Amino acid sequence: TFHEAISDIYSAYESGVYSSVVKFTEGRTSLGDSKNILEVFSASFMLSQYGMTRFSHLYVGRHQHQFLKIRFTYSETVAMEGKQALDLFCREIVNLVS
């Protein structure tokens, strides 16, 4: 499921949705806070679309025999606010599924 989600991003590039895709990271990470933690596979990308640079973060994990897939994308012009919103969103999602 994780590699399929990454392939979807590159397929969007090949079909012209993005003019460039650069993968920065790929690995495992933890989402949540000290009370609730979810181990996930993660990847981060820099995308170009309509002349704008965007950052995209992908998380795929399992919880209670289900897959959880989060893809969060934001413009570089709001990078700090975007990253803060992503962190808050992931903490809340992990709290909801725990």
Side-chain angles (χ1 to χ4, degrees):
T1 299
F2 177 63
H3 292 290
E4 287 175 17
I6 290 175
S7 292
D8 289 345
I9 293 169
Y10 285 108
S11 293
Y13 165 70
E14 291 169 2
S15 69
V17 173
Y18 304 120
S19 55
S20 71
V21 173
V22 176
K23 182 170 47 170
F24 286 126
T25 64
E26 182 177 336
R28 294 185 63 103
T29 192
S30 300
L31 298 179
D33 55 28
S34 59
K35 294 182 286 184
N36 297 305
I37 295 174
L38 180 64
E39 297 292 326
V40 296
F41 292 99
S42 67
S44 61
F45 301 85
M46 184 173 67
L47 315 168
S48 292
Q49 184 180 36
Y50 308 120
M52 296 179 63
T53 300
R54 302 178 190 281
F55 298 103
S56 190
H57 301 273
L58 171 68
Y59 303 105
V60 177
R62 278 186 31 171
H63 179 71
Q64 296 182 354
H65 307 291
Q66 300 291 320
F67 283 102
L68 172 66
K69 175 180 147 185
I70 298 169
R71 180 157 173 234
F72 195 93
T73 303
Y74 51 88
S75 171
E76 74 175 335
T77 59
V78 294
M80 183 174 288
E81 296 89 345
K83 184 67 171 121
Q84 290 171 345
L86 171 62
D87 292 342
L88 178 60
F89 178 79
C90 288
R91 278 195 309 270
E92 292 300 321
I93 289 294
V94 171
N95 285 336
L96 284 173
V97 299
S98 296

